[in-house]
Amino acid sequence: MIEEMTTVLEPSPLSDFVETKYIKDVANRALSYIKAGFPVHFRGVSGSGKTTLAMHIASKIKRPVVMIHGDEEFTTSDLVGGEHGYRFRKVVDRFISRVLKTEEDMVKRWVDNRLTIACKYGFTLIYDEFTRSRPEANNILLSILQEKMMDLPVGRGGEDPYLKVDPDFTAIFTSNPEEYAGVHRSQDALRDRMITMDLDYFDYDTELAITMAKSKLSKSQAEIIVNIVRGLRESGKCEFAPTVRGCIMIAKTLKVEHITPSKSHGFTQMCQDILASETSRVGSKTNQARVKEVVKGLVAKELGKRKTLDVEPSAKKETEAEKELSVVGAVES
Ligand SMILES: Nc1ncnc2c1ncn2[C@@H]1O[C@H](COP(=O)(O)OP(=O)(O)OP(=O)(O)O)[C@@H](O)[C@H]1O
Ligand SMILES: [Mg+2]
């Protein structure tokens, strides 16, 4: 097997992947654009599921996957390849243990990087957060996406400086909106060569399904968490709105601690810690205090609606708790 193949991922379905109506709809639309030969670009706020969706789609394409994460420091050669090959040899004499001979030599050897590999073998490229790389580093993509031709730097081991892109090559891009820190404005010419799909926060059912799938909490418990997080998001009181990651963090912590949502100080504090951390960039005290106050109100409101349970010392008890919560939910609805 070629050495460069080490950076290639197998296209396998993701565990815990949730496919609700919303996800299926976005995925199917993206797959039809890809089938028609166009690269797809998922753009959206943090936590809107761009990377997960890109990986899911790549697994549906069933070709090996090459992943690149955008980086401010990238140059074109980080994407395409370059000349590497500094060799360092150590010779140890087995008979006279004090003898240690070192040899160093320079062997210039072209090493293809991920983008070249994907183009050459017709793999699926996921270029995650591509606008974090500087636009000039991404210029190489213009001819790849349009002319299906890759313009390689000279000195590539005597090979043709133009590489014809394999027809199976597919590209999926993701990016955060331009107002995010560390994000460059994408070139118009590049954006024009891809189909951009804007993703927003998940709808209620998807957010709930993801929270349950990731934490294995019951529906009634996950609902409480999702309602609190969505309530905070809709309050408009945060520097950054909380995402599904907040739901997952709270749900997973509850699960490992074997506790169920309750009006106890512990649950409120956990929600406050997680959500204040998720929604503030610089940790400003006033912002955090405001968020914590809103979260406190939301926890009280959410749990006031239901009969709640306190700390569960064991997983067995938790099952009973779940039953009770479901019963309460059933009576309410
Ligand atoms: N369809 C899904 N099924 C299961 N989990 C999902 C799904 N979509 C997203 N998630 C989970 O939601 C969280 C956020 O998703 P993801 O990382 O894909 O968002 P993103 O838009 O790429 O965020 P960022 O801009 O911060 O990179 C992750 O923990 C991910 O595992
Ligand atoms: Mg991402």
Side-chain angles (χ1 to χ4, degrees):
M1 187 122 259
I2 324 166
E3 187 186 314
E4 59 205 20
M5 289 297 183
T6 46
T7 52
V8 175
L9 307 167
E10 276 301 309
S12 52
L14 309 174
S15 62
D16 302 337
F17 185 79
V18 167
E19 259 190 305
T20 55
K21 190 176 168 295
Y22 164 77
I23 303 275
K24 269 194 194 137
D25 177 53
V26 181
N28 287 341
R29 271 153 57 210
L31 278 162
S32 28
Y33 303 138
I34 286 171
K35 209 166 129 195
F38 301 109
V40 168
H41 167 206
F42 295 120
R43 178 174 58 191
V45 288
S46 186
S48 50
K50 304 175 294 294
T51 309
T52 312
L53 202 54
M55 288 165 77
H56 169 70
I57 287 167
S59 81
K60 293 262 177 194
I61 297 172
K62 296 199 164 58
R63 296 281 305 151
V65 180
V66 166
M67 197 153 183
I68 302 176
H69 297 278
D71 190 316
E72 171 71 33
E73 300 291 315
F74 267 178
T75 61
T76 303
S77 92
D78 289 308
L79 301 173
V80 175
E83 290 192 311
H84 301 274
Y86 188 74
R87 194 162 63 186
F88 180 77
R89 269 202 304 202
K90 193 161 93 172
V91 181
V92 184
D93 193 308
R94 287 181 191 278
F95 297 101
I96 312 166
S97 61
R98 276 167 291 130
V99 173
L100 179 70
K101 189 170 162 254
T102 59
E103 267 179 38
E104 291 174 37
D105 60 81
M106 280 286 286
V107 184
K108 274 194 178 176
R109 199 168 69 93
W110 176 274
V111 177
D112 282 340
N113 270 353
R114 295 175 188 193
L115 182 58
T116 312
I117 293 171
C119 291
K120 196 151 93 179
Y121 300 105
F123 292 168
T124 303
L125 168 78
I126 300 179
Y127 194 166
D128 201 30
E129 311 212 4
F130 79 103
T131 51
R132 291 195 182 270
S133 307
R134 280 173 290 114
E136 55 270 29
N138 287 337
N139 273 343
I140 180 85
L141 285 159
L142 296 174
S143 66
I144 295 177
L145 301 183
Q146 188 74 63
E147 283 79 38
K148 309 284 182 234
M149 200 64 119
M150 191 173 183
D151 190 359
L152 289 160
V154 281
R156 188 170 161 264
E159 284 188 55
D160 194 339
Y162 292 100
L163 177 86
K164 201 169 172 317
V165 175
D166 186 284
D168 281 337
F169 170 78
T170 309
I172 308 170
F173 296 86
T174 82
S175 78
N176 282 136
E178 281 162 14
E179 59 273 18
Y180 274 52
V183 166
H184 293 279
R185 208 169 160 244
S186 61
Q187 301 109 296
D188 295 337
L190 189 51
R191 229 185 21 250
D192 203 30
R193 284 162 165 78
M194 45 178 89
I195 294 176
T196 298
M197 299 177 75
D198 282 306
L199 301 184
D200 207 341
Y201 295 109
F202 292 112
D203 62 294
Y204 186 86
D205 289 345
T206 309
E207 196 154 22
L208 181 63
I210 293 175
T211 307
M212 286 165 67
K214 292 277 165 188
S215 65
K216 311 280 182 277
L217 275 192
S218 69
K219 184 171 181 210
S220 42
Q221 293 187 38
E223 267 171 354
I224 297 173
I225 298 165
V226 171
N227 287 344
I228 293 168
V229 172
R230 290 177 79 92
L232 178 63
R233 189 180 300 151
E234 281 150 25
S235 74
K237 297 269 167 64
C238 307
E239 202 182 340
F240 293 97
T243 73
V244 69
R245 290 203 182 97
C247 299
I248 298 171
M249 285 176 191
I250 297 173
K252 279 193 167 169
T253 313
L254 279 183
K255 187 74 185 176
V256 298
E257 292 291 317
H258 297 303
I259 52 178
T260 52
S262 71
K263 277 185 210 156
S264 71
H265 179 61
F267 177 66
T268 309
Q269 200 171 40
M270 181 204 301
C271 292
Q272 287 176 323
D273 283 342
I274 292 175
L275 296 173
S277 127
E278 220 210 338
T279 53
S280 117
R281 181 187 286 164
V282 288
S284 109
K285 285 231 159 37
T286 26
N287 184 60
Q288 292 212 351
R290 193 173 53 220
V291 168
K292 286 185 175 178
E293 207 40 51
V294 177
V295 171
K296 195 173 165 192
L298 286 163
V299 172
K301 182 176 153 223
E302 197 49 42
L303 293 169
K305 290 198 279 187
R306 311 168 188 247
K307 189 175 165 208
T308 56
L309 300 131
D310 276 310
V311 177
E312 291 294 319
S314 75
K316 187 172 169 290
K317 273 199 177 172
E318 189 186 41
T319 321
E320 285 156 18
E322 282 175 11
K323 267 191 227 148
E324 194 174 337
L325 268 173
S326 323
V327 171
V328 174
V331 170
E332 275 176 356
S333 57

